[in-house]
Amino acid sequence: MQNLSLILVPVLAAQKAAGDGLIKPLGHHELLLVLVQLSLLLLVARGLGELMRRINLPPVVGELLAGVLLGPSLFGLLLPDLQAHIFPKSQEQSNLLSVISWLGVLFLLIVTGLETDLKLILRKGKTALLISLGGIIVPFITGFGLGWLLPDSFLADPEKRLVFSLFIATAMSISAVPVIAKVLMDLNLIRRDIGQVTLAAGMTDDTIGWILLSVVSGLASSGKFDLGTIFHSVSAAILFLAIAFTIGRTIVDQILRWVDDYVGGIAASMSVVLILALSAAALTHGLGLEAALGAFVMGILAGQSRRFSNEAGHMLEVFTAAFLAPIFFASAGLKVNLLALLVPQTLIFGLIVLAVACVGKFTGAYLGSRAGGLSHWEGLAMGSGMNARGAMEIVVATIGLSLGVLNPQMYSIIVMVAIVTSLMAPPLLRWTLSKVVMSEEEARRLEQEEQDSRSFIKQIHRILIPTSGGPNIQLAAQLVGYMAHQNSIEVTSLYALSDKQPQSKARRMEATQVKDSAAEQALTAVTEEMHLPADTTLQTKTESGRNKAEVILNEANKNYDLIVLGASEQIRPQKALFNLLVDRVVQEAPCATMVVKSHLPQAKDEICKIPQQQLKKILVPTVGTEYSKNAVEIASTIAAQTGALVMIVNVINLPQVEYILYEQRSLAPVKEIAHDMLEQQAAISRNLGADVKTYILQGTSPEKEILKFAKTEEVDLIILGSNIRMVTGRVFFGHRVDAILSKAHCPVAVITVP
């Protein structure tokens, strides 16, 4: 006890001594104010944003104006006491709002990164670099000259005119990527070539601009040129980007893959991207670069990963657009005091600074665009977008004020330039881009993206293949291999086990050895049949559970897009179409399924490897429905790889007399409808790179006509699209599909979507 008291007494004394230094919780009044500020900013920003949308302007215009109206310019003029009470000039209170505002910047750049097409940017890399260089060099020169000529009254310290001029030059060179990105999103231009090049040039511009800012800030702090600071900033930016786009890409993909496999769900996908993006932002900020750069790059890397959920990206975009982005843009406007700019001398020189800023940026971006091979109107569009400076220039102005480089007068002018140029960007972009003629290549790319967004096969990124090693699943694996050569997919082969074990220890050990051997054989049989491309990710798993169906369904719930199953070769129960396991998986699957029936013999008690099936003709019966289209897409993808001919057929028959009018008792209208339907399906097939022919068959029994046609034409594979009919205890696709499955002379695959 004595020893314990000897330990506790000094500890308690230390705690008492430090009591006055304990961190206090956020005060009641401070919390109340920040809640009122957020609600007011969001109300006015979203309200004005919707108003701008109604008059055909991007909502970001209204969101920027919201802050100006709530600042000293209007709200402070009409109700100064109330405005000062809600938005007090308190550093601590301002910091609370600034944190949320910075979150808006980071979230907006994460979303922008997710939408960024890195391949397109790399293709346009030379153009983007030339635009960026032009957009920095010309404004930097004009800004430096302006800083050198401004009267002493605009300088915080006339003795430091060189530093002041460099600071003005840097401020003129900055572009506001968040504003540019928001405008492009609002105008639905972010996927256009011009939108992607603008983003690429803006990010390059910003990266170089922030390096310049760190150099100039170091110069302002030390009063002399510091080569160490210059070297540190440049090398840190190059090193970060090099690591991010090499090993960083792999690391991010592996992290997202692990989270998807072992946690799963939209919330987990969104959380891990936010963690990575905020960590990257902290890293770049710690390196002396801009935090926004880290968030943007991490957004790009996450968007490139096949394991990042599209739903998570959509939710992130909605949350950003609805809350954080409006707060960010509105809070930027709060710093503008238009009244301070009404002083004649300040107003005159403020307009001069604005003119120099606009002319320098427009000229530089235009010259860079023309040098990069863009048209006249594309160059003007680039100048319009790059001229937006937004809150990034406000950050520059704040840094300049804190370092004693800018006085309050010059600070107000730079903030005014930031707001005015941001308000100019949307209408100028809309006007200039309306004059830009879309190239045939871009039109084809956008059309292809639109088609891909509606395509069934293009949305398949992850495929699960449960296997027992028989000929059905081996053939299915061959089909998946063909699909993998046409689309970038991940494949997981799963051997499912039941937990039911023999009672004795010896029998349990023997059963385990047998099952391990069977699993290895089954997984090997499937993986060897796929012949996947070298860059395809293949996983093999052996999982156990209460029963095999539950094991498969539990794995399928980890964000797979397609489950590929082999029909049972064994005698099936009367109440099952395939067998109880396959029927249950098809009925309860959270995603699309493809069941393959090979009609090939199987040796008893062993896995007999089947030969590679030669596919020359693939038959797809269609009735024009969505599930028929899915079957056409699968067939066309396989045919594009194998060189097979896709044969799309529709069976028609004349309706019974009592159901039609006399003048309609003809097959001509029915054939015309069938022809149009087949041509639509054939266009989908050709777009996927397949050779295709269409056929109209006539008969009273569609399944008989299809089976007869398949045998006559020596078809190698029939692919059916179907929906699941709810019948207790078994899968039921309809009598026609059941008949084709059981009586076809060749392999059959059935595609279903829940």
Side-chain angles (χ1 to χ4, degrees):
M1 289 293 292
Q2 187 175 2
N3 290 336
L4 181 61
S5 64
L6 288 173
I7 296 172
L8 288 176
V9 168
V11 172
L12 293 172
Q15 288 181 345
K16 184 176 180 181
D20 294 336
L22 290 176
I23 298 174
K24 297 179 181 179
L26 184 63
H28 173 81
H29 183 66
E30 288 80 3
L31 178 59
L32 176 64
L33 274 184
V34 79
L35 292 175
V36 172
Q37 289 171 354
L38 289 174
S39 59
L40 190 58
L41 286 170
L42 191 59
L43 172 65
V44 179
R46 293 290 295 125
L48 287 178
E50 288 303 316
L51 178 62
M52 293 299 114
R53 195 193 303 275
R54 298 286 177 89
I55 59 175
N56 265 349
L57 283 174
V60 68
V61 175
E63 292 166 3
L64 278 166
L65 282 174
V68 177
L69 297 180
L70 290 173
S73 305
L74 183 64
F75 189 24
L77 179 65
L78 299 177
L79 299 168
D81 293 338
L82 182 59
Q83 201 274 344
H85 182 72
I86 296 176
F87 300 101
K89 294 181 179 179
S90 163
Q91 187 62 49
E92 291 79 7
Q93 193 69 48
S94 177
N95 288 342
L96 292 174
L97 190 59
S98 295
V99 169
I100 299 170
S101 179
W102 266 105
L103 282 176
V105 176
L106 299 179
F107 271 61
L108 189 55
L109 285 170
I110 294 169
V111 172
T112 304
L114 293 173
E115 291 287 336
T116 300
D117 188 339
L118 195 60
K119 292 180 181 177
L120 178 61
I121 288 177
L122 290 175
R123 288 204 305 271
K124 306 285 185 179
K126 179 184 175 183
T127 303
L129 182 60
L130 288 171
I131 295 167
S132 177
L133 290 176
I136 287 177
I137 293 172
V138 176
F140 192 88
I141 293 172
T142 56
F144 185 85
L146 177 67
W148 203 257
L149 297 174
L150 281 172
D152 288 349
S153 60
F154 289 89
L155 277 70
D157 185 355
E159 298 295 324
K160 296 182 178 180
R161 183 172 287 275
L162 175 61
V163 176
F164 173 79
S165 299
L166 288 171
F167 213 92
I168 297 299
T170 302
M172 297 296 102
S173 303
I174 291 289
S175 291
V177 174
V179 174
I180 295 170
K182 188 66 163 57
V183 170
L184 292 172
M185 287 180 186
D186 290 341
L187 296 177
N188 198 27
L189 296 170
I190 201 162
R191 296 300 304 171
R192 288 279 305 273
D193 285 1
I194 193 77
Q196 293 289 295
V197 173
T198 304
L199 281 177
M203 281 309 303
T204 307
D205 192 321
D206 252 11
T207 303
I208 298 173
W210 288 112
I211 292 172
L212 285 173
L213 179 62
S214 64
V215 172
V216 175
S217 298
L219 177 62
S221 301
S222 62
K224 60 181 180 179
F225 280 104
D226 185 356
L227 293 177
T229 302
I230 298 173
F231 177 77
H232 172 268
S233 300
V234 174
S235 60
I238 294 173
L239 184 64
F240 172 75
L241 293 173
I243 292 175
F245 289 112
T246 52
I247 62 174
R249 186 201 310 258
T250 304
I251 292 171
V252 170
D253 189 59
Q254 290 296 327
I255 291 172
L256 287 169
R257 186 190 309 279
W258 185 90
V259 169
D260 201 23
D261 283 341
Y262 295 99
V263 182
I266 295 174
S269 186
M270 183 188 293
S271 295
V272 73
V273 168
L274 291 178
I275 292 167
L276 290 171
L278 294 175
S279 300
L283 175 62
T284 51
H285 190 68
L287 290 172
L289 304 172
E290 177 52 40
L293 177 64
F296 177 73
V297 169
M298 197 54 61
I300 293 176
L301 298 182
Q304 289 184 314
S305 174
R306 292 191 292 264
R307 288 298 188 92
F308 181 63
S309 166
N310 291 330
E311 291 84 358
H314 178 69
M315 287 178 63
L316 194 58
E317 183 178 346
V318 169
F319 178 71
T320 302
F323 176 55
L324 289 175
I327 294 294
F328 161 60
F329 290 117
S331 61
L334 283 175
K335 297 179 173 65
V336 179
N337 186 358
L338 296 179
L339 301 177
L341 299 175
L342 296 180
V343 177
Q345 185 189 30
T346 306
L347 179 60
I348 292 170
F349 282 98
L351 292 175
I352 292 173
V353 173
L354 176 63
V356 170
C358 293
V359 170
K361 203 68 168 179
F362 263 98
T363 304
Y366 180 82
L367 292 175
S369 301
R370 298 295 281 165
L374 299 185
S375 68
H376 167 71
W377 285 106
E378 286 175 323
L380 290 178
M382 280 293 172
S384 302
M386 300 286 283
N387 189 48
R389 287 165 172 87
M392 295 305 176
E393 189 159 85
I394 293 172
V395 173
V396 175
T398 304
I399 293 172
L401 189 65
S402 64
L403 291 173
V405 177
L406 304 179
N407 61 14
Q409 192 178 16
M410 196 65 204
Y411 170 81
S412 295
I413 289 175
I414 292 181
V415 171
M416 178 271 294
V417 170
I419 298 298
V420 172
T421 54
S422 297
L423 294 175
M424 289 168 58
L428 283 175
L429 265 176
R430 185 184 291 275
W431 175 61
T432 53
L433 286 171
S434 68
K435 308 289 185 179
V436 174
V437 178
M438 189 183 299
S439 67
E440 291 184 8
E441 179 187 354
E442 182 181 5
R444 284 196 299 270
R445 179 180 67 82
L446 292 173
E447 183 182 359
Q448 187 63 51
E449 287 184 0
E450 178 64 23
Q451 290 175 354
D452 289 352
S453 68
R454 300 193 304 266
S455 169
F456 169 71
I457 191 67
K458 295 297 183 181
Q459 305 309 312
I460 295 176
H461 305 295
R462 296 186 67 201
I463 296 179
L464 175 64
I465 307 183
T467 177
S468 59
N472 286 336
I473 198 62
Q474 289 182 56
L475 176 59
Q478 292 181 13
L479 301 182
V480 169
Y482 297 139
M483 292 162 59
H485 279 83
Q486 294 293 309
N487 293 300
S488 179
I489 59 175
E490 293 182 19
V491 181
T492 300
S493 183
L494 173 69
Y495 187 83
L497 290 168
S498 173
D499 280 337
K500 295 177 181 178
Q501 297 282 357
Q503 294 300 313
S504 70
K505 183 177 180 180
R507 291 187 65 186
R508 282 200 303 269
M509 291 178 63
E510 181 182 352
T512 301
Q513 292 174 354
V514 170
K515 287 181 177 179
D516 289 346
S517 175
E520 184 179 353
Q521 289 181 13
L523 292 170
T524 301
V526 167
T527 54
E528 287 180 350
E529 291 295 337
M530 282 189 277
H531 303 290
L532 296 171
D535 60 345
T536 301
T537 302
L538 172 64
Q539 287 182 307
T540 58
K541 291 184 175 182
T542 301
E543 302 285 351
S544 61
R546 190 166 57 181
N547 58 63
K548 293 181 180 181
E550 285 193 8
V551 172
I552 295 170
L553 290 169
N554 287 339
E555 180 67 24
N557 278 305
K558 296 178 180 177
N559 294 327
Y560 286 90
D561 305 304
L562 178 67
I563 307 173
V564 178
L565 299 155
S568 172
E569 290 82 16
Q570 301 171 0
I571 298 173
R572 58 184 174 88
Q574 291 184 352
K575 291 187 177 181
L577 176 61
F578 303 111
N579 64 24
L580 294 177
L581 184 150
V582 174
D583 279 31
R584 181 181 172 189
V585 171
V586 171
Q587 284 180 313
E588 300 181 20
C591 59
T593 59
M594 179 168 79
V595 184
V596 177
K597 190 169 185 179
S598 69
H599 293 282
L600 296 173
Q602 179 187 26
K604 294 182 178 180
D605 302 325
E606 64 175 301
I607 296 172
C608 181
K609 189 172 180 179
I610 67 170
Q612 190 78 17
Q613 299 298 297
Q614 299 300 312
L615 301 179
K616 296 180 180 179
K617 295 180 180 180
I618 302 175
L619 176 63
V620 186
T622 181
V623 290
T625 57
E626 188 69 19
Y627 48 81
S628 293
K629 182 181 79 70
N630 297 342
V632 169
E633 290 189 18
I634 293 286
S636 303
T637 303
I638 295 169
Q641 179 61 29
T642 60
L645 173 68
V646 176
M647 309 171 79
I648 308 177
V649 303
N650 177 251
V651 183
I652 62 173
N653 65 299
L654 188 64
Q656 294 182 21
V657 175
E658 59 265 29
Y659 294 120
I660 58 175
L661 300 174
Y662 177 78
E663 59 270 17
Q664 293 177 328
R665 292 173 190 173
S666 167
L667 283 177
V670 182
K671 283 185 177 179
E672 185 178 349
I673 294 171
H675 178 268
D676 292 344
M677 178 182 64
L678 287 170
E679 280 305 307
Q680 288 179 357
Q681 306 270 318
I684 295 170
S685 188
R686 294 188 191 100
N687 185 57
L688 290 168
D691 292 329
V692 60
K693 284 187 178 180
T694 59
Y695 302 85
I696 298 176
L697 307 180
Q698 184 178 344
T700 57
S701 175
E703 61 271 22
K704 288 183 179 179
E705 295 302 324
I706 291 168
L707 289 167
K708 179 181 175 182
F709 180 85
K711 194 167 186 179
T712 303
E713 295 292 331
E714 297 181 341
V715 167
D716 303 301
L717 174 66
I718 301 173
I719 298 184
L720 305 168
S722 184
N723 59 344
I724 302 173
R725 323 285 172 85
M726 296 306 294
V727 176
T728 304
R730 63 160 287 176
V731 169
F732 181 60
F733 298 121
H735 295 295
R736 291 172 181 172
V737 174
D738 285 12
I740 294 171
L741 271 169
S742 61
K743 296 182 179 180
H745 76 286
C746 62
V748 180
V750 183
I751 315 295
T752 61
V753 179

